[in-house]
Amino acid sequence: MRRGVLVGLLIALGLGLFVGVFLLAGPGAVWAQVKSLGPWGFAAMLAGDLTAAALWMTSWGILLRSQGIRTPWSGIAGAALSGFAISYITPVAYVGGEPVRAWLISRSAGRPLTAVYATILVDRLLAGLSLVTFAVLGGMLALTGRLIPTPTKIKVAIGLTIVATAVGLGVLSFARNFHWLSRILEFAGRRHPGWRWLNAAAAVTHETENDIHAAFSRHLPRTLLALLLQLMSFLCSYLRPLLFFHFTRGVWFSVRELAVYFNLNAILTTILWLTPAGVGTAEGGRVGILHLVGIAPDGGVAFSLTIRSMELLLVAAGLTYLVQRGLGQLVRTRKTDDLGA
């Protein structure tokens, strides 16, 4: 009950922020910006987003195959999109859908969930490495330029340091196979002997950590290839504002301006994506970030709405796949029951 109330409040908060930002920018001005994108501009941005998604799914497919998990590429794409869709519509992005895509692949490939989870954790670590790589490169430009005020530079530097440290420690711990997650669970199990599930969880986690370690040792060449594809995927997303504002305003952002947008947007989506689908917080954050590079609120809102429309296409594809698989399993189960009767 309390969780439902919290989700309801977050939805209301997000919608309230969205309406406020939309009204502040002016509905007419926002719509004019969206129309100025034109069909070719929309097609170029959609192609970039689809390419980014394809590169990410291929990267995960390589990780799955490196662990001996064989499943059709169509199944990998469907599971990835399903996970993305669930994560997208839940608070705290990039978390809620991971069990869904793990379950789909485990069921289709007939492999243990621990092995599939290991590939997902490696996938998230590589995404973090890609983010940090672009953030550090862009940060060198953003923090040395004059586009960001000094107080904001300090906050950006702190945010980038936190993200880079967290990702670095995560990669190091799994690459060296420190088993810190299973050790924590084992310690808690010893402190609470009555909680037997902790020992079972520690054993499962230990197995998953070994699979992750294998990705950074025995399967390192394939892991590096997956990282390269993730970097290329991030690059496609990195170019979104470049394409949008070229088609709508005929301007090209400089590398420094793109660096400012990417770094601040990375912090926004990592830390402040609190409402379901990031509604309100994403629009407000992007308006503020783009204002630093000379874009008025109507342009920022139009850009955010265009991105959201493309993301919703992927969400719709993921939910459709998930519903089809769920209904298909239900139909097969009923047929089996009828034959058994």
Side-chain angles (χ1 to χ4, degrees), residues 25 29-30 33 244-245 248-249 287 290 295-304:
V30 171
Q33 288 285 324
F244 182 86
F245 292 105
T248 59
R249 300 196 174 192
V287 166
L290 290 170
I295 301 298
D298 59 324
V301 175
F303 172 66
S304 187

Side-chain angles (χ1 to χ4, degrees), residues 184-225:
I184 291 174
L185 291 172
E186 288 172 356
F187 175 78
R190 289 194 297 268
R191 295 293 300 272
H192 302 280
W195 296 359
R196 296 182 179 179
W197 62 271
L198 283 173
N199 293 326
V204 170
T205 303
H206 190 277
E207 184 179 348
T208 302
E209 288 171 326
N210 287 336
D211 289 333
I212 296 173
H213 173 64
F216 291 102
S217 54
R218 297 198 307 272
H219 311 307
L220 183 59
R222 292 190 181 185
T223 303
L224 291 176
L225 176 59

Side-chain angles (χ1 to χ4, degrees), residues 3 21 62 66 106 110 145-146 154 166 224 230 234 252 271 273 296:
R3 185 175 181 180
V21 172
I62 290 173
S66 70
S106 175
R146 298 181 179 180
I154 296 174
L224 291 176
Q230 289 252 20
F234 268 76
W252 289 105
I271 301 175
W273 196 294

